[in-house]
Amino acid sequence: MGSEMMRQYYDTEWGMPVRDERGLFERLSLEGFQSGLSWATILAKRENFRRAFADFEPDVVAAFDESDVERLVQDAGIIRHRGKITATIGNARATVALRAEGGLPEVIWSHRPEATPVPRSMAEVPSRSPESDALAARLRAAGFRFVGPTTMFALMEAVGIVDTHVVGSHRRGSSGVWS
């Protein structure tokens, strides 16, 4: 995987179940910022993102205003993309609003497929699925942005909803979600 940072992430965190609102909001936000960039770039800035976005506490981020947007656009420690910054704030507001419908964890995890992919090589690892298409549509309907089907499939992989570790990998099945 290259760097020690990436190896550590993939060996200990990626693909492990995340079921709490804050954790899922953080992952959803970071996946949105990653769009068009490398995951290594986002992971290297993760602590800066946590600091800049109040540790991804949805209620706090939902209260951000235009002065916060201006502060974040000037923060060299994060990706200074105004659209992604405002989307993250809007997604925090949408996360808070989703509580009336069971909450972000319920919405995301309700898109778990009946079976997980069984890739035998990296070439067989999918980049989207009918479930990620449906999740993207559901979240967009709830007001979320930067939540396309490919981004949502990456989220589903990262939080253990699907297991795309290659068959034979020491990590295959390690989430406990899939046997």
Side-chain angles (χ1 to χ4, degrees):
M1 286 275 43
S3 76
E4 176 61 23
M5 172 192 66
M6 291 289 284
R7 187 196 62 73
Q8 178 74 13
Y9 173 74
Y10 280 106
D11 281 355
T12 63
E13 185 177 348
W14 187 79
M16 298 306 287
V18 177
R19 297 180 186 270
D20 66 293
E21 181 186 75
R22 193 212 61 79
L24 287 168
F25 175 63
E26 175 182 357
R27 296 336 184 279
L28 184 136
S29 299
L30 294 177
E31 292 291 349
F33 273 102
Q34 188 270 329
S35 183
L37 303 170
S38 75
W39 184 248
T41 297
I42 300 306
L43 199 54
K45 294 177 177 280
R46 188 178 196 182
E47 291 307 317
N48 295 331
F49 276 110
R50 285 176 170 165
R51 176 190 43 74
F53 285 96
D55 202 32
F56 292 99
E57 289 293 340
D59 292 300
V60 177
V61 178
F64 281 12
D65 60 17
E66 188 56 36
S67 66
D68 292 296
V69 173
E70 292 308 317
R71 170 183 56 83
L72 293 166
V73 168
Q74 300 303 316
D75 188 338
I78 66 168
I79 305 303
R80 298 182 290 181
H81 185 289
R82 184 179 294 274
K84 292 177 181 183
I85 290 167
T86 58
T88 300
I89 296 166
N91 290 351
R93 293 173 182 148
T95 296
V96 170
L98 267 184
R99 291 176 187 158
E101 301 175 44
L104 185 63
E106 171 61 29
V107 168
I108 290 175
W109 277 88
S110 72
H111 289 82
R112 178 181 173 215
E114 289 188 26
T116 192
V118 185
R120 301 199 179 282
S121 70
M122 290 304 292
E124 292 181 7
V125 175
S127 61
R128 67 189 281 181
S129 68
E131 295 82 10
S132 74
D133 292 353
L135 176 57
R138 173 68 179 90
L139 291 174
R140 281 195 303 264
F144 286 80
R145 293 177 32 221
F146 284 92
V147 291
T150 302
T151 301
M152 289 305 89
F153 192 80
L155 175 74
M156 294 167 83
E157 290 176 296
V159 303
I161 294 174
V162 295
D163 184 351
T164 57
H165 290 99
V166 175
V167 172
S169 162
H170 70 287
R171 298 277 292 137
R172 181 97 187 152
S174 62
S175 72
V177 174
W178 301 99
S179 53

